Amino acid sequence: MYSEAITAERLGKFALALQMFLETIEQGTDDEGELYFHCGWCLEQDDRGNKLKALFYYQKAAIYAHSPACKINGFFRAGWLLMQSKEFAKAATMFRSAVDYGELVDVRTEAYHHAAFWYASCLESLALYLDAIRWYRFVEALDPRLDPESRYREIICLNQVGSFEEAYRVCLSFESPSSADFDRQRYDDLCALVKKEKEILYACLSESSSPQFLTGGL
């Protein structure tokens, strides 16, 4: 039954796969937490799926899964659904749980990396800008694939707390080429956004009494 459910899921037959996964749970022969995760995934991917029920299954996956990676994924997907519903405080709790658990068991999957980034994003949405900056910097050191996105969001947060000189310095970092692991087109788009921020910051800071830090030009 499990292998048939996986096949149906891969074929996009999510309603059928969900029913099979639920029946497999009743049999009690497989990792219950992993099955709950698949149930959540099927509901999330199905346009007609109940997203609240998907959230419920992801949370159960985070509790009952034997695999650390599945637990982290459960926390992450739960956070993602909550964030899409703009429940940023609850989403932040789920993303932070994914990070904390990954560090506890020393398993740092891709979902762990992304959970750290979106945790920072939720903190930003909650206007906790200083905490968000700290976490964006953590992500920058953690994963080159998330570094440019994190640096751009760091600039926005620095502006929010009035750290304009520091924001300008981060803008200058985009003059370096992107990592090979990062999408070139997206990096160009970010550079265009950063250029606008940099021009505004330069204009404001050049009027200050101490413009010496304005190196690199425009």
Side-chain angles (χ1 to χ4, degrees), residues 37 58 68-78 98 109-112:
F37 181 86
Y58 284 142
C70 188
K71 281 182 176 288
I72 294 170
N73 280 337
F75 283 125
F76 177 78
R77 297 311 309 176
T109 61
E110 183 176 1
Y112 163 91

Side-chain angles (χ1 to χ4, degrees), residues 155-175:
I155 292 167
I156 302 303
C157 290
L158 287 167
N159 283 338
Q160 289 290 338
V161 298
S163 296
F164 303 123
E165 294 186 14
E166 198 168 357
Y168 184 83
R169 291 190 183 98
V170 180
C171 287
L172 293 177
S173 71
F174 278 85
E175 295 176 358

Side-chain angles (χ1 to χ4, degrees), residues 81-112:
L81 287 178
L82 288 164
M83 186 175 64
Q84 299 309 304
S85 299
K86 300 188 184 304
E87 297 186 62
F88 298 114
K90 292 180 179 179
T93 297
M94 290 295 104
F95 289 135
R96 181 62 187 266
S97 294
V99 174
D100 287 347
Y101 180 74
E103 293 182 349
L104 176 66
V105 297
D106 196 23
V107 173
R108 293 168 173 80
T109 61
E110 183 176 1
Y112 163 91

